[in-house]
Amino acid sequence: MAVSQAVDTPLQPRIPSFVLALREFDGGDVAFIAVCGILVFFMIPGVAFLYSGLSRRKSALSLVWAVAASNAVVIFQWWFWGYSLAFSPSATNGFIGDLRSFALRKVLGDPSPGSPLIPELLYSFYQMEFACVTVAILMGALAERGRVFPAMVFTFIWMTIVYCPIACWAWATNGWGFKWGVLDYAGGGPVEIASGISGLAYSWALGRRSERELRNFRPHNVSLVGLGTFILWFGWLGFNGGSAFGANLRAIMAIWNSMIAAAMSGIVWCLLDFRIERKWSMVGFCSGTIAGLVAATPASGYIPQWAAFVMGIVVGAISNYSTKLKYILRIDDALDLCAEHAIGGMLGLLFNALFADGAIIALDGVNTSASGGWLNHNWKQLYIQIAYIAACTAYSFVVTALIAKALDCVPTLHLRATPEEEMLGMDDAEIGEFASDYIEVRRDYLDWSPGYRTKGDTDSDAVPAAGDRHGVPDVELRTIDANGLGKENGKGATNGNGVSNGHGDGLQGNGAVGTGALTPISEKAEARSVS
């Protein structure tokens, strides 16, 4: 009788189920959406540069800070409970999710709520970047008079009870809008209407800037406006292209439609401004380009290219004229969030009702039974889209206004800076740093330039270099002579009380020389009268 011999076989490691599930996803789709998510993140500095360029010089850096800091707040909120509140699959109320995915628990390799083409872990990252961009847009409401710390508290609350519910309506598998058949490709409701209308509500809660600040207003750096716009355009291709959730033809169609809509809207806006000023406005071109990209956000994955061409022309004209709404409403929407984002998002959603084509939707290989809009004789889609627009608009404005007014009543969380801080500039009042090495044209130009050394000066008399940002700035470079008097750049001595006996600026030293403090604007006239 033969004796069977045991064959030594290596122990097979137990493979986790989510790793096995990952093998079902195409690596190209996963890589494409990961790169698109990174492109969406690149939109954050685009928004920051755009807002900084559009503001006055003395408040330019505060908007960059607000955009950057709000991005960090949203990342935490989304990981903590934001994703679960927006996309938890176990919630069935249709309004908001539950805490099933709290701190991204159980969010690994299962197919995502948005598409079976990518895993949920990747989907949660991609959707997080959408939320970050939405809040970055909203931060434009702070322009030149909003305090930044209360805005960060507002950001966490707003994300929880405004953005997450609207995202649930449109994109969660149990959301009422998703079940009803709302066509919102990449965020006409959660991103564009929510940011634009909420920005309007926040501006209303803040109140108007002082009339002094509104007179003869000009963007302080149009080059930054152009840079921010083209960074946004670049990132927006990932925003809209990636919303097909795979490397497929629907993504390419969305990218094409985004390019066409942005180009036509920019041209139309610029032409409308030209008829008034007889100048080819760069700010106008940038504003129109962004409005076209906004309209493409909900529509680019639904409509054919010829419809995107028409949409770009329409949104460029309507958004341009919509900038007058803030005067009718008497709300100081400083950066036109409502006209560009809210109105543009609404128009894109309406174009879905009219021109959405099932053949375009089916290009992703997943939504092959989509009904489309009027182009496919789906007449009811118009009232579905209108109802969705009305719900997003009303909910965003009312809830945002309530949050803002409630926060404003909390001690230390007042939303608006004081009139004195507003006059000084939010950079000086809130940040303590500046976007440029000068803040106001009214500061003495010669303050930038230290006096030249003359024959007979020693090294001890030489003016020091202001290399450290917390050291002695150019505006107060001094040396101390044997009598304790400060020489103001060779222009005359300044005593300990800051009163100039020559041609200096009368910088207030309060008994100390070279403290590093910048001259408040209001002291210039007083100093000149004393000198």
Side-chain angles (χ1 to χ4, degrees), residues 317-457:
I318 294 180
S319 290
N320 182 290
Y321 286 110
S322 295
T323 57
K324 307 299 186 291
L325 282 174
K326 62 186 179 184
Y327 302 111
I328 298 172
L329 299 173
R330 299 190 63 79
I331 296 176
D332 186 12
D333 183 7
L335 302 183
D336 289 318
L337 302 185
C338 179
E340 293 197 33
H341 293 277
I343 300 299
M346 294 174 189
L347 291 171
L349 288 168
L350 289 176
F351 263 74
N352 284 345
L354 302 176
F355 302 115
D357 189 348
I360 303 297
I361 303 170
L363 289 175
D364 60 7
V366 175
N367 298 285
T368 55
S369 59
S371 55
W374 280 22
L375 207 62
N376 297 148
H377 308 291
N378 183 25
W379 313 116
K380 67 178 182 179
Q381 196 63 46
L382 182 59
Y383 74 74
I384 291 175
Q385 298 295 105
I386 292 174
Y388 174 68
I389 291 169
C392 292
T393 302
Y395 185 81
S396 296
F397 189 91
V398 172
V399 178
T400 300
L402 290 174
I403 297 171
K405 285 294 187 181
L407 269 182
D408 198 42
C409 295
V410 178
T412 75
L413 291 182
H414 302 303
L415 301 182
R416 181 162 181 165
T418 64
E420 293 76 19
E421 290 172 331
E422 184 181 347
M423 182 183 70
L424 186 62
M426 301 311 299
D427 290 356
D428 206 348
E430 291 270 289
I431 310 300
E433 297 163 335
F434 310 100
S436 305
D437 62 349
Y438 55 92
I439 300 97
E440 280 288 77
V441 176
R442 284 170 291 174
R443 293 195 189 278
D444 192 339
Y445 179 81
L446 294 177
D447 284 344
W448 296 5
S449 306
Y452 289 103
R453 292 181 60 183
T454 60
K455 186 176 180 180
D457 286 344

